[in-house]
Amino acid sequence: MTEQLKRPLPVRVRRQPDGIPMDDLFRSRPAQATLLPRRPPPEEPDLVERPGPAVSGWVAVPTGLAALAGAAAALWRAGPPSRGGQLPHWEWAALAGCVVVAVVSFGGLTRGRTGSAWVLSLFGRYRGTVRRTGLVWISPFVLRRRMDVRLRHWRSEPIAVVDAEGSALRVVVLVVWSVRDTARALLAVDDHLGYLREQVEAAVARVLSQLPADAFRGDTPTLRNAEAVGDALTRMLAAECRAVGVAVFSAQPTRIEYAPEVAAAMQRRQLAVLDAKHRDSVLTGVIDAVDDTVTRLTSRGLVELDDFERQSLVKDLTVAFYTRRGGPAPQDQE
């Protein structure tokens, strides 16, 4: 594949049983030279995930309880208003402070769940990400948005593409991904999941257009090598989605089939190719058997054959062997 398919997400190159690297399958076609390298989306250097301000909730709970206890003690000291209870101005300020501390302490309590994170922002500015689990205290004055950071998979609908020979295909791709940088996934793009889906469609159209779906002429690389196609898709998607904080671990085609409008014609073509290969293999075996038979008869001195008799014997043996192995008997031609 072209150079930009090899830059992102280093993937160990697997080898075929004959020792040919998987990536060489995509270098064998001259059409590859027409592909120009594409620049990946720009990344904002300042928009990078960093830890957000948060503390354990078990610190905020005693603080809030202590503030409530202080407010209750101040009210008890003043006594009921019917008995003329009053507080000095400084005690009123302390009472108000205790109430504010209690409200902030309990208002910032939240629950951190495994596999999710809180993305914090204040007045539109990114303030950090909290990945703590359990009881957590986060300032109630910041905007909190929960984001799923678990390993996820997405199975696409059938995508319409064409192969290198222009045949219409329908492809289904399974993508395994996760959010690696929550700041970019939430703020660098409007919808990171929608962005991933669009990039999958574009990458599938670009990669699958480099090889034919089936090799009807010779043993050329095809799209039936799902492992090589999946490696190329994975590298391309990883490069395209890194700018939005999405890590793509695997993108594998689960089904590659011809479109309904060309499926019947391609099936007939495949059957014709298989039938031709079968006839060729049968004829090769028959020729070898005839040659071995004639050679053994003549070398042992069992028969003396001139050219005409040899041709007649070869013809009769060929017809007999070929018919016995399931092939139609050849017709005599003048």
Side-chain angles (χ1 to χ4, degrees), residues 158-223:
I159 302 174
V161 297
V162 294
D163 65 358
E165 296 182 349
S167 301
L169 304 175
R170 295 291 185 272
V171 183
V172 177
V173 182
L174 178 65
V175 183
V176 180
W177 63 282
S178 69
V179 174
R180 176 171 294 177
D181 192 313
T182 56
R184 290 179 177 175
L186 184 63
L187 303 176
V189 68
D190 181 53
D191 179 12
H192 63 278
L193 182 56
Y195 180 89
L196 174 64
R197 292 174 177 174
E198 296 296 334
Q199 290 299 329
V200 168
E201 185 173 354
V204 168
R206 186 174 173 84
V207 172
L208 270 68
S209 65
Q210 306 309 305
L211 293 175
D214 292 289
F216 297 105
R217 299 176 182 176
D219 297 331
T220 60
T222 67
L223 297 178

Side-chain angles (χ1 to χ4, degrees), residues 22 44 57 71 85 249 260 290 312 320 323:
M22 286 288 200
E44 298 185 29
F249 301 102
V290 171
S312 178
T323 304

